[in-house]
Amino acid sequence: MTTQAAAQPTTPQQAGGGPDLDPAVRLGLYETMVLSRTYEEAILREYHADKGPGFDIGKGLIPGEMHLSAGQEPVAAGVCAHLTTGDAVTATHRPHHFAVAHGVDLRRMTAEIFGREGGLGRGRGGHMHLFDPDTHFSCSGIIAEGYPPALGQAFAFHRQGTDRIAVAVTGEGAANQGAFHESLNLAARWSLPVVFVVEDNDWGISVPRTASTSVASNADRAVAYGIPGERIEGNDVEGVYGAARRAVARARAGEGPSLIEVHTLRLWGHFEGDAQGYRLDLEDAPSHDPIPRYEAALREAGVLDDETVTRIRSAAGERTEDAIAFAKNSPVPDPASATSYVFA
Amino acid sequence: MTITETPTTPTPHSRRLTTSKAIVEAIAFEMDRDPSVFYLGEDVGSYGGIFGSTGGLLDRFGKDRVIDTPISETAFIGLGIGAAVEGMRPIVELMFADFMGVCLDQIYNHMAKIHFESGGNVKVPMVLTMGAGGGYSDGAQHSQCLWGTFAHLPGMKVVVPSSPADAKGLMTAAIRDDSPVVYMFHKGVMGLPWMAKNPRSNDDVPEGDYETPIGKANVVRSGNDVTVVTISLSVHHALDVAERLAGDGIDVEVLDLRSLVPLDREAILASVAKTGRLVVVDEDYLSFGMSGEVVATIAEHDPTLLKRPAERVAVPDVPIPYAHALEYAVLPRHDRIEAAVRRAVAG
């Protein structure tokens, strides 16, 4: 166990990224981010396709709130690169990038987002409530409340004699919730194989973290519970990859939990329809998009060329459109079955 | 009142146990046969549960399966949920039902909804136990029943045993159930040596594997003049009243619901169809709860079953007072139950 007076931000080099990283790994990180973005651009397109006239949130092929994760792909790609589908991930109300990176079946996930019978939850859950037992993936629409179930998954994996782990994801706003602190303490005290991930996108809907949070880094809060905490600046996918490698290895070795906070970017609104009038940084946001930036770095390093970029983008497009088509062809649930599945 | 010390002749198949010991027996039996069962909560280890729900389990099964937690109900109930999702069968104790306020999100938004939201693909086979009820001056934050609140929220079964045998049989069923079960034990039925108790909290309990199906009400006393529908400690009170009124020629049927979810509506209808008179006794709050639901069951099915308006005896929508005289004024004790039964059979 490492304890520090205060956690220091980790540079990409310290984090284990950069030119020393295996080109295949770097390509994989890029590929995951591109798939996630391509997927969400398609969801965005379908979501807004039939909300008019005007914008009626409950209308259309994809009804309801829609929280998209564009800009936060480096967190999911960097963490999930170390996981197998035997490991658990509990994500947030903004779950798509983690679901994509963890290998949730895109067809059934998309059908769920469309509210169809072929969806992960047969249309009962929706985009904030995706449950995939095949990959031990789940998410919760309640801030910070995805952490406690992750403890139980980690507990079960450990009791079952495996080295499987649980990754629990929240945003920085969740770090001010009781569930966050209870979970860190309990996981630390019981040395549970958990990796806590905090996505700091600077915004709790419209409230900036500077207005909500008493510490500059939530990694300091990990230190307060006697577990390692690292903060990755710059939305750096390779920095996340390096930090996650250490945290996952520690958890698999039975040495207990760690926390990784990533300073990331919410490229779009809190939810679709959010005009973001509160957000003065919005104009600059596209210039911080992590995907073109990483693409440029990999081109410069000779890891990516035009041909590979085209291949990766087109494969992502094909998988995405296949999933959208599957969803659209999946039957709408029978209203007569609305009361099914309350009990096992 | 003191614990009944009636000499008994134990049969090979049953002996007298307090409710708390009957619960422990069911848990131990299941822990023996199923290694995925474990118990988690505050003071459930060496203390044996504040209300005796885990006495002796630590010595028998060790600290890996009988686990004391920090005072972090959200974290450890959530832990139970996650473990259940991954195939274990946790029993998680919330010390008092009153403490639901600090952890309700895990209970009603997660434990109770995951199966539904997953379209039946993810099961949460978990038991959430908790102490409930008043009558011993523990004040407004440690005396509530609140089973109606849990029952109102979809996705969890709500079991509330009254007798030692039911406590064992329903615990067995709860642990084996693939759905989350809230298992509420009234402190007054546990047979605790440090609290006034009804003699019925110490009674015959079958040995060995014993399961009572969840959702079947029990006619604990058969009668023809009036039906008392009730649950938990109030069953004991209702039986006391029924015995007393038998001397006055009033033949009271007492129906122990045993669970609120599922609610055995057929048993309610069958009994009221026979007697034509209904008293509902509930130690939970009066409005928007069990007593209203029972009366609504009659009203929706066939209001002409009732020869007189139904009577409800419950806590009259006030917090539970501390002072003994005030607390007994709001609880459904013998005097209020008897008065209601007499009104129900008059005319």
Side-chain angles (χ1 to χ4, degrees), chain B residues 86-324:
Chain B
E86 296 299 343
M88 300 190 77
R89 289 191 176 268
I91 308 165
V92 183
E93 181 167 314
L94 176 64
M95 190 185 289
F96 285 75
D98 313 69
F99 300 169
M100 73 191 289
V102 300
C103 53
L104 187 60
D105 189 73
Q106 286 298 320
I107 298 170
Y108 90 117
N109 265 332
H110 293 82
M111 182 185 84
K113 288 183 182 161
I114 286 173
H115 183 264
F116 180 82
E117 289 172 325
S118 72
N121 288 318
V122 180
K123 293 185 175 66
V124 188
M126 163 173 167
V127 184
L128 180 63
T129 63
M130 62 190 76
Y136 61 105
S137 284
D138 216 1
Q141 298 175 343
H142 292 75
S143 301
Q144 298 169 95
C145 289
L146 296 175
W147 41 63
T149 304
F150 289 102
H152 184 68
L153 302 165
M156 47 193 149
K157 298 184 179 179
V158 180
V159 169
V160 196
S162 64
S163 70
D166 279 2
K168 176 175 177 178
L170 290 166
M171 177 57 83
T172 303
I175 296 169
R176 294 176 185 177
D177 204 297
D178 280 341
S179 294
V181 178
V182 174
Y183 182 103
M184 307 183 76
F185 47 81
H186 195 297
K187 302 146 204 168
V189 308
M190 292 295 267
L192 301 170
W194 47 277
M195 192 178 290
K197 64 187 69 67
N198 192 291
R200 292 182 178 82
S201 57
N202 186 36
D203 207 346
D204 289 344
V205 177
E207 286 180 340
D209 189 348
Y210 180 64
E211 183 173 350
T212 304
I214 296 172
K216 294 286 176 203
N218 188 22
V219 179
V220 288
R221 180 191 170 94
S222 187
N224 290 309
D225 295 340
V226 55
T227 297
V228 176
V229 174
T230 185
I231 202 160
S232 188
L233 179 63
S234 300
V235 173
H236 298 192
H237 299 337
L239 287 170
D240 292 342
V241 169
E243 285 170 9
R244 192 183 307 165
L245 292 180
D248 294 351
I250 301 172
D251 191 17
V252 180
E253 177 146 307
V254 179
L255 183 67
D256 178 358
L257 289 174
R258 287 174 164 163
S259 64
L260 292 190
V261 181
L263 180 62
D264 191 347
R265 296 181 197 271
E266 287 178 14
I268 296 167
L269 291 165
S271 180
V272 174
K274 178 172 74 168
T275 65
R277 297 163 197 273
L278 172 65
V279 176
V280 190
V281 182
D282 185 16
E283 199 185 305
D284 203 352
Y285 300 119
L286 175 69
S287 299
F288 311 103
M290 178 189 113
S291 61
E293 192 62 33
V294 170
V295 176
T297 299
I298 306 296
E300 284 178 336
H301 178 79
D302 182 2
T304 66
L305 290 179
L306 286 175
K307 297 172 189 160
R308 281 186 56 83
E311 297 277 345
R312 294 197 285 162
V313 184
V315 173
D317 299 334
V318 293
I320 309 291
Y322 163 66
H324 182 78

Side-chain angles (χ1 to χ4, degrees), chain A residues 108 120-122 124-125 129 131 136 140 142 145 148-149 152-153 155-157 159-160 179 182 186 190 340-341 343-344, chain B residues 38 40 64 67-68 70 72-75 78-79 82-83 86 105-106 110 115-119 121 155-157 179:
Chain A
R108 295 182 64 216
L120 288 170
R122 296 187 169 93
R124 273 76 179 169
H129 311 110
F131 294 88
H136 304 270
S140 171
I142 308 296
E145 298 286 342
Q153 292 177 292
F155 177 92
F157 294 158
R159 286 300 172 93
Q160 290 158 359
E182 288 188 22
L186 187 59
W190 292 4
S340 300
Y341 306 115
F343 293 108
Chain B
F38 65 102
L40 190 71
D64 284 347
I67 308 169
D68 276 328
S72 304
E73 288 85 354
T74 290
L79 189 150
E86 296 299 343
D105 189 73
Q106 286 298 320
H110 293 82
H115 183 264
F116 180 82
E117 289 172 325
S118 72
N121 288 318
M156 47 193 149
K157 298 184 179 179
S179 294

